[in-house]
Each structure stands twice: as structure tokens, then as C-alpha cells.
Amino acid sequence: MKASDRAYSALRDDIVEWRLTPGTVLGEVEQSERLGVSRTPLREALARLTAEGLASAQRGRGVIVSDISLAHIDELFELREVLESKAAALAAARGDRERFADLRDRFLAAPALLTDDDPLRHEYYSLAAELDAEIDAAIGNSYLTQSLEGLRVHLTRVRRLAKDDAARLRQAASEHAAIAGAIADGNAHLAAAATAIHLNNSLNHIKSANTPPGKTPPGEATHG
């Protein structure tokens, strides 16, 4: 692996997993020494991260880890709904029904994975990633798959804002089961609708979890 690729992979993982938090300055000298690469490949890695939106250049500070705001999350979920709903519909038309039926059953049993023995929810998120992979394989569209892969890098960062709430994850497991079940039944319309419902619930949860008590989450109207 090229030095620039190694630096890029290491920095991306650190950013996505919040070991490098939003606003952290990615100084060339410090990161070159930490990653064991020279400054030229590090600059290439930083350029790639900036192009992907994981880092940004700021006057007087250099390159920093990009921020995640609720406004940006709205935009991210707008794109996510378009791409993932279409992908679910295509998977319903093209996918292996037995595989998705198995995933449906595993998501129905998924609440058992949400225990204190796995506080970071690795097992649950691994199952969610498996559903993503099966949908990617089923749709047979390299352009859509590539777009989804780029989107999921940001979604992994956003996941931390959801605070790994067990009650929400149990609800999400049921929603994922509905998506997988609709695909298994070959019902493209229902698969797209189930995906849209899941994403709307996920977005509302993130907003609620990150809004101070007494304030209305951004994008939600108040009613008298």
C-alpha cells in the first residue's frame, strides 16, 4: 500500500470513529510523525479527506476535521432517502429472496444483541452492515453502489450523535426487519416506503438526542 493510501486510511478511520473529533487540527508535522509517513503523502491524504468532506481547510488553522451540524445532517438524510429508497426498491426486484428473508428473521431477533456486554453495539451494527452489503450486491448498479459507499462514511460519523440508545436501536431493528421483509417479498414499493420511514425516524431521533431540553429540534414545527 502506498504511503498516501496508508495515511488516508488511518486518518479516515480515526475521523469516522471519533478518535479525531470535529475541529481537530490535522497538523502536517504531528500527523506525519504519528503515522510514520513523510509530508508529501500526508498532504495527498489530507486532500482526499477534504474532497470527501471529512476534513476542511481553514485560514490560519490549516486542515481540520470537519464539523457535523444538525443542518448538515438534514442535507445528508435528504440524499440518503433518495439513494437508499431506490436501492431497496431495486433489491426487491433483483435480490435473492431467501437471503433477505434470513436477514428479516435475524433483525427480528436483534434486540437480544443489545446488551451491556456490547456497549458499542458492534454486533448490531455488523448486522446492519450486512443488510447494506446484501442490498449493494442485489442492485447490480455500480454507480449507485459507489454513491452509497461515499455516503456511509459520513453516516458512521453521524451514528455517534444517536448515542447508541438501546430503545431506539430496538425500534430500528424492527424497521430494518420491515425493509428486509419487503425485499424478500419482492415488493419494491413497500421496500422503498419502509426505508423512508426508517430514515425519518432515525433523523428525528438524532435531532431530539442533540437538542437541549425545552427547545424544538431544527426542522420541526411547533403547534399551539
Side-chain angles (χ1 to χ4, degrees):
M1 184 182 291
K2 291 168 51 181
S4 60
D5 291 337
R6 284 192 289 108
Y8 164 77
S9 295
L11 286 170
R12 186 180 70 167
D13 287 347
D14 285 344
I15 292 170
V16 167
E17 297 298 331
W18 286 69
R19 290 186 290 269
L20 292 172
T21 57
T24 299
V25 177
L26 301 175
E28 290 186 6
V29 175
E30 177 188 354
Q31 297 302 325
S32 293
E33 292 177 352
R34 183 175 76 90
L35 300 174
V37 299
S38 64
R39 294 173 70 174
T40 297
L42 180 71
R43 291 190 190 107
E44 294 176 8
L46 293 177
R48 290 176 64 182
L49 293 168
T50 301
E52 291 181 354
L54 293 174
S56 60
Q58 286 196 354
R59 183 178 300 175
R61 298 187 69 194
V63 178
I64 67 168
V65 177
S66 60
D67 192 17
I68 300 178
S69 70
L70 293 182
H72 290 156
I73 291 172
D74 269 328
E75 296 175 2
L76 187 64
F77 271 74
E78 286 176 0
L79 177 59
R80 188 181 182 189
E81 182 173 346
V82 172
L83 296 181
E84 292 195 15
S85 294
K86 181 61 177 179
L90 289 175
R94 303 171 182 175
D96 184 319
R97 296 191 177 188
E98 290 186 3
R99 291 187 179 183
F100 285 100
D102 176 66
L103 283 166
R104 175 199 60 210
D105 294 342
R106 290 166 64 192
F107 271 112
L108 289 174
L113 301 175
L114 303 172
T115 68
D116 292 337
D117 294 332
D118 185 19
L120 296 181
R121 316 304 187 195
H122 289 305
E123 288 189 75
Y124 177 81
Y125 289 130
S126 177
L127 180 58
E130 193 173 338
L131 176 60
D132 288 340
E134 286 293 346
I135 290 175
D136 289 350
I139 62 180
N141 185 319
S142 60
Y143 295 103
L144 180 53
T145 299
Q146 185 176 9
S147 296
L148 287 167
E149 287 176 353
L151 183 64
R152 286 174 188 142
V153 173
H154 297 280
L155 293 175
T156 303
R157 292 184 76 200
V158 168
R159 178 186 297 160
R160 183 65 63 89
L161 298 179
K163 306 186 187 305
D164 295 322
D165 179 76
R168 169 56 199 152
L169 290 177
R170 282 192 288 271
Q171 181 185 6
S174 177
E175 293 162 5
H176 278 120
I179 296 169
I183 295 173
D185 291 339
N187 190 328
H189 177 74
L190 184 57
T195 299
I197 290 171
H198 167 63
L199 296 180
N200 182 69
N201 289 341
S202 295
L203 178 58
N204 286 339
H205 172 73
I206 290 171
K207 286 183 173 182
S208 296
N210 290 274
T211 300
K215 291 192 175 182
T216 301
E220 294 186 12
T222 56
H223 300 277

